[in-house]
């Protein structure tokens, strides 16, 4: 059976692939906190581009469902500059919606302020 360690070097490639994205989401459901952090570390440099990706956005949404509060905050911080554009994209808008649903009120206020200023 394939482990997170086995696929860690290919995480971003998997996230951008239809079948890879589904596989990665299933692996995240089964992963330990440490394994999830390792996957997050691998996707973190590509958060902005994954948010707009037809399959990568689903991996980011998965982190809003199962990720730590720090991970969810980090995704929002990374996406703040692009929130207005993302909210108008077919895939990006889903990430923005998921963020609003799964972050604390102070982060929701940051999102709202950024969208209002655009």
């Amino acid at each position: 059976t394939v482990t997170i360690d086995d696929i860690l070097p290919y995480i971003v490639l998997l996230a951008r692939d239809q079948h890879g994205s589904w596989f990665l989401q299933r692996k995240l459901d089964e992963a330990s906190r440490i394994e999830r952090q390792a996957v997050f570390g691998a996707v973190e440099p590509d958060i902005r581009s994954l948010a707009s990706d037809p399959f990568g956005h689903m991996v980011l949404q998965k982190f809003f469902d199962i990720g730590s509060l720090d991970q969810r905050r980090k995704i929002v911080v990374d996406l703040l500059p692009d929130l207005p554009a993302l909210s108008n994209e077919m895939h990006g808008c889903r990430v923005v919606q998921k963020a609003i649903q799964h972050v604390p009120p102070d982060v929701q206020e940051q999102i709202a302020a950024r969208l209002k200023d655009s």
Side-chain angles (χ1 to χ4, degrees), residues 7-26:
I7 61 174
L8 206 51
Y10 313 102
I11 293 292
V12 174
L13 289 173
L14 286 169
R16 294 182 191 280
D17 176 78
Q18 180 179 5
H19 301 290
S21 177
W22 287 110
F23 174 77
L24 187 52
Q25 291 171 67
R26 283 192 308 273

Side-chain angles (χ1 to χ4, degrees), residues 4 8 11 24 28 35-44 63:
I4 294 286
L8 206 51
I11 293 292
L24 187 52
L28 284 169
E35 290 171 325
R36 288 178 183 165
Q37 183 57 45
V39 172
F40 186 80
V43 300
E44 188 175 1
F63 271 103

